[in-house]
Amino acid sequence: PFREAQEITGALVQVAEREGKELEELSDAELLSISSYLDAGVRSVLSVDASLATRSGSNGTSPTSVRLQLQKLATAIESITNF
């Protein structure tokens, strides 16, 4: 579970750094050489944008969540300045 995922992630980063590649640039063979869990489907979350988009929970870091938080902040600031 978490420990295994952490080890796989560390190995993934090491290979990417050694090869001078971004995570999403690693080949399917390179991914599979690290772990059988890293099939082609994992590529959809390897970029920064894709990773951020998955953080859609309340107060998350997805672009949609951040926009909502900014709207709430703007509303709060407006209510204070109109006081």
Side-chain angles (χ1 to χ4, degrees), residues 6-81:
Q6 188 175 20
E7 289 174 7
I8 292 169
T9 302
L12 182 65
V13 170
Q14 284 180 346
V15 170
E17 286 181 343
R18 183 180 68 232
E19 299 298 321
K21 297 179 179 179
E22 297 294 325
L23 294 176
E24 68 268 21
E25 295 173 334
L26 293 173
S27 70
D28 290 347
E30 288 169 318
L31 293 174
L32 284 173
S33 74
I34 297 164
S35 170
S36 61
Y37 291 116
L38 300 178
D39 60 20
V42 77
R43 194 173 305 288
S44 66
V45 295
L46 289 180
S47 71
V48 172
D49 290 339
S51 179
L52 287 176
T54 66
R55 312 276 191 219
S56 60
S58 179
N59 297 323
T61 57
S62 74
T64 302
S65 294
V66 170
R67 277 192 292 279
L68 180 60
Q69 292 170 60
L70 288 172
Q71 289 171 351
K72 288 179 180 181
L73 177 62
T75 300
I77 290 170
E78 185 177 331
S79 70
I80 291 170
T81 57

